[in-house]
Amino acid sequence: MTDRVIAVAAWESLFRAQVTVMRALADTFPTGLISLNEYDVLFNISRSPGRRLRLKDLNRSVLISQPSVSRMLDRLAARAIVTKSPDPDDGRGTIVAMTEQGFALYRRVAIEHMVAIERNVAAGLDEDELLALTDLCRRMRLAIAEPLIGEPTESPAHHA
């Protein structure tokens, strides 16, 4: 079993790094187009086959609450960024799909956001360290949760 002190120190380090990077990313995010939370929703939809995702799977993948996601999707649908339709496999479910207009907006923001991610996440880390970090974070998450929709089954570090 892992020493509790080491596990807590690792958590603190991970948490502080995440907060610092998220603040830096939020400071440069193009919020005039969409919010960071809206981007997270669109990112998750974009990773799904056909850019379509069941609402319950989307809720599992984002950091905001289910009621907040539902309200956000209503706003995004009103802007023709997403569509919502009944799930043909589950009468109570909803399928959320990104429109072509929504995908164009997402790509525009993603390109700008990726520059900030590269600048802030890669700060002080080389490529091997970034691959190791990706693998460690993925393994830690998968030890306690199911894979996300659209997530590769193999770690990117294994492709190096």
Side-chain angles (χ1 to χ4, degrees):
M1 176 171 252
T2 305
D3 183 294
R4 183 178 297 153
V5 173
I6 294 171
V8 170
W11 161 246
E12 274 295 316
S13 181
L14 176 63
F15 180 72
R16 297 293 169 211
Q18 186 264 346
V19 167
T20 301
V21 169
M22 285 303 297
R23 285 181 179 159
L25 293 176
D27 286 346
T28 61
F29 193 80
T31 54
L33 300 172
I34 58 175
S35 72
L36 195 51
N37 283 335
E38 289 170 333
Y39 177 84
D40 186 34
V41 165
L42 295 178
F43 170 79
N44 281 283
I45 297 170
S46 76
R47 294 171 43 133
S48 300
R51 295 192 290 269
R52 298 170 43 86
L53 187 60
R54 294 183 318 177
L55 179 56
K56 72 179 188 178
D57 292 328
L58 177 60
N59 281 320
R60 228 173 39 92
S61 302
V62 295
L63 298 175
I64 57 178
S65 69
Q66 184 273 325
S68 295
V69 171
S70 293
R71 286 190 302 274
M72 178 191 300
L73 289 172
D74 288 341
R75 291 190 305 271
L76 291 173
R79 293 172 55 196
I81 293 171
V82 301
T83 60
K84 293 170 31 177
S85 58
D87 184 343
D89 299 327
D90 177 359
R92 298 169 295 151
T94 300
I95 299 289
V96 181
M98 196 180 310
T99 64
E100 287 303 318
Q101 175 184 327
F103 186 62
L105 174 65
Y106 164 75
R107 283 189 42 91
R108 180 176 165 199
V109 172
I111 290 167
E112 189 174 332
H113 189 47
M114 283 190 302
V115 171
I117 290 171
E118 181 182 19
R119 180 178 56 249
N120 290 287
V121 175
L125 301 176
D126 65 26
E127 188 173 304
D128 288 338
E129 291 168 328
L130 288 169
L131 289 169
L133 177 62
T134 300
D135 189 51
L136 290 169
C137 289
R138 182 178 180 281
R139 286 177 27 213
M140 181 171 41
R141 188 177 47 73
L142 291 176
I144 57 176
E146 294 294 318
L148 300 173
I149 300 297
E151 180 176 31
T153 57
E154 186 175 306
S155 170
H158 293 140
H159 296 292

